[in-house]
């Protein structure tokens, strides 16, 4: 995967990431709209910002990538031919996706002028929440390790419109950072004792939901195993979409109906012969 970096020969003064807030808006069908708010002090000649999206599970896709400015009024122009060596002038107001060999993504954008800045990065992950035999659930790396600059403060807030999460319906665990998740209307990772990520740390969230909260697009009868995210090259799970499940049910009904008609015709023919 290419690295977003400063232009060649630029002064080695890194920008400061004062805070990173990741807002995850879950949808009833299991999709997730992710909105990252980054408050930064841009210094030196670093021209690019970036965030890492870890490889997605089989059947999930990333879409609707957007970057917009401090006030949410100016959307950056998406370009396909992004170069890590272009300078600030070429990258200002533009954004792009770089694809890694591991199946993950690096979402880049031009940071523009120096000073105190806010950047909003938005994208959608389809079928984050999936239906399993015992629950609806997901495991997802929300903040990747070793992203530079490391945030001085961070938080993760996950919600579902029209629903308040309660501990009786949701079990949430955090790995990669020594902080428990809190379930109180929303699902949050809000550091209290230590708010700064250290090198090598990350935030991976595992959530199990009581059946009935979601109507996931992807379902399986297998139980949820959790513990570690499924990589794109992992053994495949027998997941089927909700639409395919409905189609299979309708086909089964049709087949049963046809068998009933055939049985009725055969029986009537047999009765006529007996007469």
């Amino acid at each position: 995967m290419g690295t977003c970096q400063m232009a060649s020969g630029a002064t080695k003064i890194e920008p400061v990431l004062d805070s990173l807030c990741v807002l995850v808006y879950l949808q009833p069908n299991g999709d997730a709209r992710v909105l990252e708010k980054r408050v930064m002090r841009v210094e030196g000649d670093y021209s690019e910002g970036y965030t890492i999206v870890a490889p997605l599970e089989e059947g999930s896709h990333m879409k609707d990538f957007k970057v917009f400015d401090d006030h949410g009024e100016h959307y950056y122009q998406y370009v396909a031919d992004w170069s890590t060596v272009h300078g600030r002038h070429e990258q200002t107001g533009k954004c792009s996706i770089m694809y890694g060999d591991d199946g993950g993504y690096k979402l880049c954008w031009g940071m523009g002028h120096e000073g105190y800045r806010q950047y909003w990065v938005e994208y959608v992950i389809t079928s984050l929440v999936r239906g399993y035999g015992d629950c609806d659930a997901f495991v997802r790396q929300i903040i990747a390790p070793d992203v530079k600059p490391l945030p001085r403060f961070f938080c993760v807030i996950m919600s579902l419109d029209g629903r308040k999460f309660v501990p009786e319906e949701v079990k949430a665990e955090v790995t990669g950072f020594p902080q428990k998740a809190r379930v109180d209307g929303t699902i949050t990772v809000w550091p209290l004792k230590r708010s700064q990520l250290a090198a090598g740390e990350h935030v991976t969230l595992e959530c199990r939901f009581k059946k009935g909260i979601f109507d996931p697009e992807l379902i399986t009868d297998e139980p949820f195993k959790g513990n570690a995210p499924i990589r794109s090259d992992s053994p495949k799970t027998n997941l089927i979409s909700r639409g395919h499940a409905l189609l299979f049910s309708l086909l089964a009904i049709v087949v049963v109906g046809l068998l009933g008609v055939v049985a009725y015709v055969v029986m009537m023919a047999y009765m006529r012969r007996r007469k």
Side-chain angles (χ1 to χ4, degrees):
M1 180 181 293
T3 302
C4 296
Q5 57 188 10
M6 62 180 167
S8 176
T11 305
K12 294 183 178 180
I13 301 177
E14 291 189 0
V16 176
L17 180 54
D18 284 332
S19 69
L20 168 62
C21 291
V22 183
L23 311 175
V24 183
Y25 300 96
L26 299 175
Q27 309 299 313
N29 68 348
D31 290 356
R33 183 170 67 90
V34 182
L35 184 62
E36 298 185 4
K37 179 184 179 181
R38 294 170 175 259
V39 179
M40 305 183 68
R41 293 199 301 273
V42 179
E43 300 176 11
D45 290 324
Y46 273 78
S47 59
E48 301 163 300
Y50 72 92
T51 186
I52 293 176
V53 178
L56 303 177
E57 294 187 41
E58 177 196 356
S60 287
H61 304 281
M62 191 190 72
K63 64 178 185 178
D64 299 340
F65 167 52
K66 302 181 183 71
V67 179
F68 48 98
D69 67 3
D70 310 44
H71 306 291
E73 297 173 350
H74 174 67
Y75 282 83
Y76 286 32
Q77 176 189 0
Y78 180 83
V79 294
D81 58 344
W82 187 263
S83 173
T84 60
V85 297
H86 282 166
R88 175 169 292 165
H89 177 73
E90 291 86 354
Q91 294 170 341
T92 297
K94 299 176 182 178
C95 62
S96 190
I97 300 175
M98 301 183 72
Y99 301 92
D101 295 335
D102 64 351
Y105 310 84
K106 182 170 283 187
L107 311 182
C108 299
W109 66 93
M111 291 193 295
H113 62 80
E114 294 186 12
Y116 194 72
R117 305 293 306 279
Q118 292 185 28
Y119 305 97
W120 298 81
V121 181
E122 183 180 12
Y123 56 92
V124 172
I125 296 176
T126 64
S127 295
L128 175 66
V129 181
R130 297 162 180 238
Y132 294 87
D134 53 344
C135 63
D136 296 333
F138 73 87
V139 180
R140 184 66 195 161
Q141 185 182 90
I142 308 297
I143 301 178
D146 296 327
V147 174
K148 294 182 180 180
L150 289 169
R152 292 186 169 184
F153 170 82
F154 79 92
C155 66
V156 176
I157 304 175
M158 184 170 292
S159 63
L160 173 63
D161 189 30
R163 183 90 184 197
K164 290 186 177 181
F165 292 129
V166 295
E168 293 77 17
E169 297 180 338
V170 181
K171 303 301 179 185
E173 298 180 2
V174 177
T175 56
F177 184 80
Q179 174 70 44
K180 293 183 178 180
R182 183 175 63 182
V183 180
D184 184 13
T186 59
I187 302 168
T188 61
V189 182
W190 194 285
L192 299 176
K193 297 180 180 178
R194 181 167 63 85
S195 60
Q196 185 172 4
L197 283 174
E201 291 184 330
H202 59 93
V203 178
T204 297
L205 192 58
E206 175 182 315
C207 292
R208 302 169 185 248
F209 301 94
K210 181 180 178 181
K211 289 287 189 180
I213 297 176
F214 294 92
D215 185 21
E217 290 288 339
L218 293 183
I219 58 175
T220 180
D221 292 332
E222 297 179 13
F224 178 64
K225 297 179 181 179
N227 299 324
I230 300 174
R231 298 289 293 271
S232 58
D233 55 356
S234 299
K236 295 183 178 180
T237 305
N238 295 322
L239 287 163
I240 60 174
S241 69
R242 182 70 66 179
H244 286 154
L246 179 59
L247 178 60
F248 294 153
S249 299
L250 291 175
L251 287 174
I253 294 172
V254 171
V255 170
V256 171
L258 289 174
L259 290 175
V261 171
V262 171
Y264 176 78
V265 171
V266 171
M267 183 183 69
M268 294 301 296
Y270 174 76
M271 294 297 294
R272 289 196 200 94
R273 286 199 301 271
R274 286 184 59 86
K275 292 179 179 180

